[in-house]
Amino acid sequence: MPRPIQATVHLPALRHNLATVRARAGDAKLWAVIKANAYGHGIERVYEALRGADGFALLDLQEAQRVRALGWRGPILLLEGVFEPRDLELCSRLSLWHTVHCQEQIDMLAAHKTHAPHRVFLKLNSGMNRLGFAPAGFRAAWARLNALPQVDEISLMMHFSDADGPGGIAAQQALFEQAAQGLPGERTICNSAAVLRFGSAPQTHLDWVRAGIALYGSAPDYPAGTAASWGLQPAMSLRSRIIATQQLQAGATVGYGSCFTAPQPMTLGIVACGYADGYPRLCPTGTPVLIDGVRSRTLGRISMDMLAVDLSAPLAAGRGSGIGSEAVLWGQASAEHGGALLPIDEVAACAQTVGYELMCAVAQRVPFSVQPLDGAE
Ligand SMILES: *Cc1c(COP(=O)(O)O)cnc(C)c1O
């Protein structure tokens, strides 16, 4: 028998989340952001559920090739644009649309020999200070691109730095409107947080929204918003099983560093999941886990291949928890355990990080399964 850990990708949840984001974005077209191998879910796995999007946005050229290999003929956008001149050949060949965020990328285009002119997304730096032209140079960059025979349509793009927090979007949105004023072309500024929190207004969602994390069922603004409050369902469950139990006397300790001391006699379970599976070592005692669908907690340090859980609550609920019991590290308990939910955002918060990082970090050694669109796992 293989080691019992498994990640499951829920295609019905992905399709539901796509519809939920769409419903908030008016008549805007939707880029499904599938960078980082679809946020760790696997591009090939999510494709069937997300092909109802209007385009796919990513940043690795090999990932773009994989999307074309799946048969996708619609738009693909490279969010960081090209990295070297020969990338433009692949853009021509696979008809990839690409972001242009710096003069060097315009230089590459100007030197590129192509039969079919390229569709580009000119990026404004409105204050994130990662990629993009400063407002003062934005129009000059547009004019330079517009003069190139290598360039077809020019769209306008910007990325918020604070859409998920108290800073909000108003100031950067105003900068974008000013910089883009009078220029032709489609516009895209909203990520998941901006769509969920502010996207219902046409002047905000504009022509395209770029949704990533919401599709995967994590709230970009947790804990102010939660997946449940936004109507999102977890697209990934990380599940394993209990492979050993221990009876502790009061005063006994658990794990490396003896970080947890039993205050009274208790039963603990050892789950086949550790930081080498992508479960964060930073999770302290008390991080939630579902055992046979009952909410429990970790005890002591997370090891490379194992973690310890308190079996008091599941045993009190009469689940007979022991070797072979299901442990849900995040996501959804299996149907036989009532489908209880443990939001990935809760676990991420315990590890002082965000749902994005956990889903992207599931380790290579964890096997994946897929819940198909028509139901059962
Ligand atoms: C990753 C990314 C997105 C998607 O962000 P989410 O917060 O996951 O919705 C949108 N736009 C750009 C430019 C990105 O890099």
Side-chain angles (χ1 to χ4, degrees):
M1 186 174 149
R3 188 164 169 264
I5 192 166
Q6 190 168 65
T8 301
V9 173
H10 304 288
L11 298 191
L14 284 163
R15 192 167 60 179
H16 166 88
N17 296 339
L18 178 67
T20 302
V21 175
R22 260 205 199 285
R24 296 193 76 85
D27 53 3
K29 290 176 280 187
L30 188 144
W31 293 111
V33 181
I34 55 166
K35 62 192 180 192
N37 200 24
Y39 291 43
H41 293 66
I43 286 174
E44 286 76 10
R45 287 185 205 104
V46 303
Y47 178 69
E48 189 189 354
L50 296 183
R51 62 191 297 177
D54 300 291
F56 288 102
L58 40 71
L59 39 79
D60 187 288
L61 282 98
Q62 282 178 343
E63 290 188 342
Q65 269 173 310
R66 284 162 58 191
V67 178
R68 286 286 181 242
L70 287 164
W72 177 254
R73 291 166 175 274
I76 296 178
L77 174 62
L78 298 178
L79 291 166
E80 293 180 348
V82 296
F83 304 99
E84 57 175 337
R86 66 180 178 153
D87 295 345
L88 288 167
E89 288 158 29
L90 202 65
C91 291
S92 295
R93 190 143 50 81
L94 299 179
S95 64
L96 309 179
W97 301 357
H98 48 103
T99 301
V100 171
H101 63 76
C102 61
Q103 294 292 354
E104 289 76 1
Q105 288 176 329
I106 305 183
D107 296 340
M108 289 185 223
L109 264 169
H112 178 54
K113 294 184 176 50
T114 180
H115 297 295
H118 287 201
R119 168 94 180 247
V120 296
F121 280 63
L122 179 64
K123 186 158 189 178
L124 176 74
N125 172 13
S126 64
M128 174 87 91
N129 287 313
R130 296 189 312 192
L131 304 182
F133 291 89
F138 192 66
R139 276 161 193 278
W142 186 89
R144 219 190 134 202
L145 275 176
N146 192 45
L148 292 181
Q150 291 88 344
V151 171
D152 178 21
E153 214 176 310
I154 306 172
S155 303
L156 310 177
M157 167 175 184
M158 187 268 280
H159 193 51
F160 292 116
S161 58
D162 291 272
D164 56 338
I169 64 168
Q172 292 182 351
Q173 187 180 354
L175 261 180
F176 176 79
E177 280 166 10
Q178 200 183 2
Q181 194 173 24
L183 294 179
E186 291 192 324
R187 283 139 162 82
T188 173
I189 59 176
C190 286
N191 58 1
S192 294
V195 181
L196 292 175
R197 297 180 69 206
F198 313 102
S200 54
Q203 67 272 22
T204 304
H205 61 64
L206 300 174
D207 299 297
W208 290 87
V209 297
R210 309 184 303 269
I213 196 70
L215 300 180
Y216 305 102
S218 159
D221 60 340
Y222 184 85
T226 64
S229 73
W230 292 122
L232 304 170
Q233 299 173 359
M236 182 197 286
S237 295
L238 182 64
R239 300 178 186 145
S240 188
R241 293 193 181 278
I242 289 179
I243 59 169
T245 59
Q246 301 291 340
Q247 303 296 329
L248 299 188
Q249 301 304 318
T253 63
V254 178
Y256 287 116
S258 303
C259 293
F260 175 78
T261 305
Q264 74 266 327
M266 57 195 292
T267 306
L268 64 77
I270 301 298
V271 176
C273 176
Y275 61 79
D277 299 299
Y279 190 89
R281 186 176 174 280
L282 273 177
C283 285
T285 291
T287 302
V289 179
L290 301 177
I291 303 297
D292 284 346
V294 178
R295 211 175 148 98
S296 175
R297 59 182 184 133
T298 63
L299 299 175
R301 273 201 199 141
I302 309 301
S303 312
M304 181 183 274
D305 311 306
M306 288 175 263
L307 56 82
V309 294
D310 185 352
L311 292 182
S312 313
L315 288 172
R319 295 302 170 102
S321 299
I323 291 180
S325 289
E326 178 183 87
V328 172
L329 289 317
W330 62 71
Q332 192 176 9
S334 59
E336 61 179 300
H337 297 299
L341 293 182
L342 174 53
I344 194 169
D345 299 321
E346 263 191 66
V347 180
C350 290
Q352 297 164 48
T353 183
V354 288
Y356 298 73
E357 187 175 356
L358 265 52
M359 54 180 77
C360 289
V362 174
Q364 200 82 51
R365 77 176 187 183
V366 176
F368 271 79
S369 68
V370 174
Q371 179 189 3
L373 277 177
D374 55 12
E377 285 179 38

